[in-house]
């Protein structure tokens, strides 16, 4: 005869604290795989309870199956069952004679992640078990048997537990950082992440196998990569790069992932408008950290987008500067992706390709007919092993493609000017562990430019991809008859005029007559010109062994308006030798004007549940009024939702000071992030660090 199951205690606060999920919730059971958790329940019957027959069952997904690992039946004493790898034993402190039992239950380290239903049968003759409740199971970087195990605790704190981070933007010579609130522990985010998995096309077409495959971080990261963009499915974000953002928000509006994910859910799993690479990557980082996969956001400067898979990017110039592309290849000022940490036993019997994997949710090229990218082992990219999955050739080109510059003449003919094997893949950057410092991880992706090893790896990659034609010798082609460079005279600051100079020098003994065309263009960060700013044509003589200096002045009133939806200014000089018409020389410089100063600071006791104030200050640097100004402030663990303040007009020289009250609800290191936008300026960001001290014995205020 069986026993009736009475009161059930899931010990949510104790279990979640032990599993490092208490920041998500202490009111529902959220545990990590491969690690035991406690469940207590009462047994009522005509006789004293025993453990002669206690059979537990866990199930996940709509079609649970023991063969697929989505159902497990296991019994006491430990080890009894149907070959199950879920286990249970009586907890050492259990008071069984009192009519209740406490069990230590352990999931396998390779169980599918997701929501499980837990039940118990107390009799072999019972047809159904009694429900013990539900639990959420996540990946476990603390468990050595889990494929996402990360050995160092300091790194686990950074790449799994840290809710804030930095994203690097700009260009290789003008690297700036913006703070980002990942917010993976906000109380509704874990459910949104599971919803994301549930509406992916693989789950909709074959739910049984999809839920089973969620045991594998390789599979899960690939699904998340596809689902962050909305190109093939009901993904989170719609990308847009043309500067027109009607019906949505400019990608520069976002300061964190939480609002993006909540909007997606509220929209009925329809895409949020709009995102670009750093938004895609940061939102993916939130989802992976929430699910328990260690990950970090990585920025690659001078990032190649190689569409024809030949590891070469063609740049086309005319006498008026950068031409619209004759091929879809491009070099982005920067591109942002995610590195996720996991083992790769699918690629090697040993641990050859374990570790950081590039996973990129920005929809650039299709991978097996879906807009996703990775996981591509960073170790494989370093060695040029482009025949490995997933998408290693594409990422290899992003960091190590060669660039060929062409001059296109009025009759449509073109001339190869130079080959450059050095400039692609610069200053690959990520946030340091435990601090806000930038770490350069370029050496993880490729050997030093200009070395024989780097060229050997490039040539090996070309060979493995069976690319026809000659390989680059790794140098700029030949020594030019005229050397040129563009030099800054003032630091470029948005709102101020920019001054530079073009310096030319001849290596010949003869005087040269040169036609010099200096062009200034507003550029999108994807390497595409958005508009012409100014151009200047001169004909000058260049004397032997003497410098010729040409000043370049770019007034703010000329470039300001054209930079609202652009990332950088490209200044290029195209020089033609009148005496040698075939001699053409090109030099260029990318400028990223620094934004005007925006500051934010936190005022108050920095104590959990105590009211504090965010002070945001911005001063108008222009000689005209700023129109339609608005400030946003976010901060995971600090503010439950984004706060906004608007001002129709900020007069010349006027100082805007906004005070916003907030009550921090989660202890630990946090960031307040502010954003400022107006008609004249876009994407001005500021942040400050706040360390919230915990309090005990206080009933937390109600929050969403």
């Amino acid at each position: 005869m069986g026993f009736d199951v009475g009161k059930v205690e899931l010990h949510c606060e104790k279990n979640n604290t032990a599993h490092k999920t208490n920041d998500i919730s202490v009111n529902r059971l959220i545990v990590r795989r491969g690690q035991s958790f406690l469940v207590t329940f009462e047994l009522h019957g005509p006789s004293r309870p025993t453990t002669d027959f206690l059979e537990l069952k866990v199930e996940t997904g709509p079609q649970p199956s023991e063969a697929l690992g989505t159902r497990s039946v296991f019994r006491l004493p430990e080890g009894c069952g149907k070959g199950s790898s879920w286990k249970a034993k009586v907890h050492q402190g259990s008071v069984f004679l009192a009519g209740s039992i406490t069990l230590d239950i352990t999931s396998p380290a390779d169980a599918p992640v997701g929501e499980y239903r837990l039940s118990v049968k107390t009799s072999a003759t019972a047809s159904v078990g009694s429900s013990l409740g539900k639990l959420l199971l996540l990946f476990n970087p603390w468990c050595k048997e889990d494929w996402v195990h990360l050995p160092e605790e300091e790194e686990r704190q950074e790449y799994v537990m840290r809710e804030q981070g930095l994203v690097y933007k700009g260009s290789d010579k003008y690297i700036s950082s913006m703070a980002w609130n990942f917010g993976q522990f906000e109380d509704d985010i874990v459910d949104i992440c599971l919803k994301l998995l549930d509406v992916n096309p693989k789950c909709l077409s074959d739910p049984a196998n999809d839920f089973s495959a969620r045991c594998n971080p390789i599979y899960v990261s690939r699904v998340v990569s596809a689902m962050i963009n909305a190109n093939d499915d009901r993904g989170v974000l719609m990308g847009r790069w043309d500067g027109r953002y009607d019906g949505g928000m400019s990608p520069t509006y976002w300061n964190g992932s939480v609002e993006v994910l909540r909007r997606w859910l509220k929209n009925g799993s329809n895409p949020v408008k709009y995102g670009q690479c750093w938004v895609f990557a940061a939102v993916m980082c939130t989802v992976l950290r929430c699910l328990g996969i260690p990950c970090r956001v990585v920025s690659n400067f001078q990032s190649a987008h190689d569409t024809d898979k030949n590891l070469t990017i063609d740049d086309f110039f005319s006498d008026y500067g950068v031409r619209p592309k004759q091929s879809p290849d491009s070099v982005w000022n920067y591109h942002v992706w995610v590195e996720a940490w996991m083992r790769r036993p699918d690629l090697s019997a040993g641990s050859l390709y374990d570790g950081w994997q590039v996973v990129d949710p920005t929809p650039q090229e299709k991978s097996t007919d879906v807009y996703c990218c990775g996981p591509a082992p960073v170790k494989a990219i370093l060695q040029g092993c482009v025949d490995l999955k997933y998408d290693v050739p594409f990422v290899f080109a992003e960091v190590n493609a060669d660039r060929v510059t062409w001059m296109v003449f009025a009759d449509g003919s073109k001339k190869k000017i130079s080959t450059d094997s050095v400039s692609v893949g610069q200053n690959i950057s990520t946030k340091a562990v435990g601090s806000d410092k930038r770490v350069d991880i370029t050496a993880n992706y490729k050997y030093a430019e200009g070395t024989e090893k780097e060229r050997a790896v490039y040539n090996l990659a070309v060979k493995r991809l069976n690319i026809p034609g000659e390989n680059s010798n790794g140098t700029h082609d030949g020594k030019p008859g005229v050397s040129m460079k563009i030099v800054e005279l003032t630091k470029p600051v948005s709102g101020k005029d920019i001054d530079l100079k073009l310096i030319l020098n001849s290596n010949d003994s003869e005087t040269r007559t040169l036609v010099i065309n200096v062009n200034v263009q507003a550029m999108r960060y994807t390497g595409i010109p958005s508009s012409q700013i100014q151009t200047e044509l001169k004909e000058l003589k260049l004397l032997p062994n003497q410098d010729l200096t040409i000043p370049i002045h770019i007034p703010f009133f000329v470039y300001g308006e054209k930079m609202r939806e652009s990332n950088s200014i490209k200044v290029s000089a195209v020089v033609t030798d009148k005496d040698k018409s075939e001699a053409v020389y090109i030099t260029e410089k990318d400028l990223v004007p620094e934004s005007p100063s925006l500051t934010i600071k936190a005022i108050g006791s920095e104590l959990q549940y105590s009211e504090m104030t965010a002070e945001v200050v911005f001063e108008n640097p222009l000689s005209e009024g700023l129109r339609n100004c608005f400030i946003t402030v976010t901060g995971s663990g600090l503010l439950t939702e984004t706060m906004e303040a608007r001002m129709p007009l900020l007069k010349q020289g006027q100082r805007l000071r906004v005070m916003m009250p907030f009550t921090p609800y989660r202890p630990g290191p946090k960031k307040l992030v502010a954003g400022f936008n107006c008609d004249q300026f876009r994407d001005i960001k500021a942040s400050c660090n706040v360390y919230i001290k915990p309090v005990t014995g206080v009933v937390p205020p109600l929050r969403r």
Side-chain angles (χ1 to χ4, degrees):
M1 176 179 287
F3 297 89
D4 294 329
V5 175
K7 181 181 177 182
V8 178
E9 174 59 63
L10 296 179
H11 303 285
C12 295
E13 185 168 1
K14 184 174 183 179
N15 283 323
N16 292 7
T17 300
H19 286 249
K20 299 174 180 65
T21 62
N22 54 309
D23 278 343
I24 303 175
S25 176
V26 292
N27 299 315
R28 60 194 293 200
L29 184 56
I30 306 174
V31 295
R32 300 188 186 275
R33 60 188 195 172
Q35 181 177 340
S36 68
F37 58 93
L38 302 177
V39 175
T40 299
F41 52 92
E42 295 177 348
L43 292 173
H44 303 296
S47 60
R48 179 179 293 178
T50 71
T51 58
D52 289 346
F53 189 95
L54 278 181
E55 185 178 83
L56 294 110
K57 180 171 66 175
V58 290
E59 296 180 314
T60 186
Q63 301 168 33
S65 157
E66 287 183 273
L68 292 174
T70 49
R71 170 190 286 151
S72 185
V73 180
F74 51 108
R75 289 176 52 190
L76 289 176
E78 183 180 4
C80 295
K82 304 173 182 178
S84 167
S85 52
W86 282 71
K87 291 181 170 56
K89 64 180 180 180
V90 177
H91 182 59
Q92 187 175 3
S94 179
V95 187
F96 191 56
L97 295 178
S100 71
I101 182 171
T102 300
L103 299 180
D104 274 312
I105 301 175
T106 306
S107 66
D110 61 351
V113 299
E115 185 176 70
Y116 282 79
R117 303 170 293 281
L118 175 63
S119 61
V120 62
K121 284 171 60 176
T122 61
S123 166
T125 59
S127 58
V128 295
S130 300
S131 172
L132 296 179
K134 294 180 179 180
L135 63 99
L136 288 181
L137 189 67
L138 305 178
F139 290 103
N140 192 353
W142 286 264
C143 175
K144 290 183 179 179
E145 289 74 35
D146 197 313
W147 283 9
V148 303
H149 175 246
L150 190 59
E152 299 296 328
E153 174 62 19
E154 192 178 15
E155 293 190 347
R156 292 192 290 256
Q157 290 298 318
E158 181 69 46
Y159 300 135
V160 182
M161 303 299 290
R162 186 81 67 189
E163 285 192 275
Q164 296 84 18
L166 297 175
V167 179
Y168 294 98
K169 301 170 67 176
S171 72
D172 60 323
K173 299 294 191 299
Y174 300 90
I175 299 176
S176 62
S177 65
M178 65 172 288
W180 191 271
N181 274 302
F182 297 116
Q184 69 268 27
F185 298 138
E186 294 299 322
D187 51 13
D188 53 348
I189 294 301
V190 69
D191 293 313
I192 297 174
C193 293
L194 295 177
K195 174 75 171 180
L196 192 69
L197 298 181
D198 291 347
V199 299
N200 93 81
K202 293 180 180 180
C203 184
L204 297 177
S205 64
D206 188 355
N209 278 302
D210 176 80
F211 272 79
S212 174
R214 295 181 192 182
C215 66
N216 188 339
I218 303 168
Y219 176 85
V220 171
S221 67
R222 195 158 169 79
V223 166
V224 174
S225 171
M227 287 301 298
I228 295 299
N229 72 72
N231 285 47
D232 314 285
D233 41 48
R234 295 165 65 186
V236 175
L237 278 159
M238 182 178 294
R240 191 148 194 172
W241 285 266
D242 61 4
R244 296 190 295 272
Y245 306 117
D246 297 340
M249 308 301 293
S250 165
T252 61
Y253 168 81
W254 311 109
N255 293 328
S257 307
V258 174
E259 186 175 356
V260 173
L261 290 167
R262 284 176 176 166
R263 285 195 187 196
W264 174 76
L265 184 69
K266 186 177 180 180
N267 290 348
S269 305
N270 288 310
V272 176
K273 302 175 182 178
Y274 295 95
Q276 291 176 1
C277 70
W278 71 93
V279 188
F280 286 108
V283 172
M284 182 169 188
C285 185
T286 295
V287 175
L288 293 186
R289 287 186 183 181
C290 183
L291 295 174
I293 299 176
C295 100
R296 61 189 186 184
V297 176
V298 172
S299 299
N300 176 40
F301 294 91
Q302 294 297 303
S303 185
H305 181 169
D306 180 23
T307 58
D308 51 12
K309 300 179 175 62
N310 66 351
L311 304 186
T312 300
I313 306 297
D314 293 310
D315 289 329
F316 297 96
F317 281 80
S318 70
D319 57 0
Y320 57 82
V322 181
R323 286 175 58 94
K325 297 292 177 180
Q326 295 190 357
S327 80
D329 287 355
S330 58
V331 176
W332 296 22
N333 284 0
Y334 67 94
H335 179 50
V336 185
W337 57 67
V338 160
E339 285 182 355
W341 181 275
M342 66 190 71
R343 294 178 195 159
R344 292 302 301 270
D346 58 323
L347 300 181
S348 168
S351 57
L352 195 57
Y353 299 110
D354 294 354
W356 291 116
Q357 317 284 322
V358 172
V359 195
D360 189 350
T362 300
Q364 296 184 92
E365 299 295 323
K366 285 191 173 184
S367 173
T368 58
D369 298 322
V370 177
Y371 278 103
C372 66
C373 180
V378 174
K379 292 176 182 176
I381 297 161
L382 176 67
Q383 300 298 339
C385 299
V386 291
D387 49 350
L388 297 177
K389 60 185 181 182
Y390 292 91
D391 309 303
V392 176
F394 184 77
V395 184
F396 182 91
E398 286 183 302
V399 301
N400 212 12
D402 282 0
R403 297 181 76 171
V404 178
T405 299
W406 301 84
M407 180 69 181
V408 181
F409 298 99
D411 61 2
S413 63
K414 60 184 181 181
K415 171 184 171 61
K416 180 179 176 182
I417 302 298
S418 65
T419 301
D420 169 14
S421 69
V422 174
S423 63
V424 165
Q426 298 290 315
N427 300 323
I428 304 174
S429 302
T430 192
K431 177 189 173 296
V433 173
S435 79
D436 284 347
K437 293 180 180 177
R438 182 179 69 87
V439 177
D440 191 310
I441 57 172
T442 308
N444 293 356
Y445 283 84
K446 61 180 180 178
Y447 295 98
E449 293 288 3
T451 63
E452 291 184 7
K453 183 68 173 176
E454 184 275 331
R455 270 303 95 178
V457 168
Y458 179 88
N459 291 332
L460 173 66
V462 169
K463 182 178 180 181
R464 288 188 173 186
L465 292 176
N466 296 315
I467 297 171
E470 297 181 3
N471 299 341
S472 165
N473 61 10
T475 61
H476 294 266
D477 292 350
K479 186 175 182 180
V482 173
S483 60
M484 303 191 300
K485 62 180 178 180
I486 297 171
V487 178
E488 293 174 22
L489 296 178
T490 57
K491 182 180 181 180
V493 175
S494 187
K496 297 183 178 180
D497 296 354
I498 297 173
D499 286 293
L500 312 98
K501 61 181 178 181
L502 171 66
I503 303 174
L504 302 93
N505 183 275
S506 172
N507 300 318
D508 272 3
S509 57
E510 299 177 4
T511 297
R512 294 179 167 221
T513 303
L514 303 178
V515 177
I516 304 164
N517 202 330
V518 177
N519 310 279
V520 182
Q521 294 167 288
M523 303 291 290
R524 306 197 194 285
Y525 82 100
T526 54
I528 307 299
S530 59
S531 62
Q532 187 76 19
I533 293 175
Q534 67 184 38
T535 185
E536 186 177 8
L537 183 65
K538 293 177 179 288
E539 182 176 311
L540 298 171
K541 293 192 180 296
L542 179 59
L543 302 177
N545 301 315
Q546 289 191 21
D547 287 350
L548 176 61
T549 300
I550 299 172
I552 304 171
H553 180 69
I554 313 169
F556 175 73
F557 76 84
V558 174
Y559 77 81
E561 183 176 351
K562 297 181 179 180
M563 290 296 295
R564 289 180 194 170
E565 302 300 341
S566 299
N567 164 263
S568 64
I569 296 171
K570 184 179 286 293
V571 182
S572 57
V574 180
V575 176
T576 306
D577 191 328
K578 288 193 74 174
D579 301 318
K580 301 177 181 178
S581 58
E582 76 282 357
V584 179
Y585 310 99
I586 296 173
T587 189
E588 59 182 332
K589 189 174 187 65
D590 292 312
L591 307 174
V592 180
E594 183 179 286
S595 297
S597 175
L598 174 72
T599 63
I600 182 171
K601 66 180 180 180
I603 302 171
S605 62
E606 298 192 358
L607 189 66
Q608 187 181 9
Y609 307 133
S610 295
E611 186 166 302
M612 299 181 65
T613 303
E615 180 190 63
V616 185
V617 176
F618 181 82
E619 186 173 329
N620 181 2
L622 302 186
S623 57
E624 63 180 18
L626 302 182
R627 298 175 300 279
N628 299 317
C629 307
F630 73 93
I631 286 174
T632 58
V633 176
T634 61
S636 291
L638 303 174
L639 291 77
T640 56
E641 56 189 19
T642 300
M643 294 193 298
E644 291 190 0
R646 295 180 178 269
M647 187 172 187
L649 179 66
L650 187 63
K651 296 179 180 178
Q652 174 186 349
Q654 186 177 356
R655 189 167 175 263
L656 174 63
R657 181 171 177 262
V658 176
M659 309 293 285
M660 295 183 174
F662 67 95
T663 303
Y665 51 88
R666 204 154 47 238
K670 307 297 174 190
K671 274 187 191 292
L672 275 174
V673 183
F676 177 87
N677 282 271
C678 65
D679 286 358
Q680 290 93 330
F681 293 117
R682 297 280 193 274
D683 192 22
I684 300 177
K685 309 286 187 184
S687 65
C688 68
N689 293 323
V690 187
Y691 191 92
I692 302 301
K693 296 181 286 292
V695 296
T696 57
V698 177
V699 178
L702 185 66
R703 63 185 178 92
R704 63 177 294 166

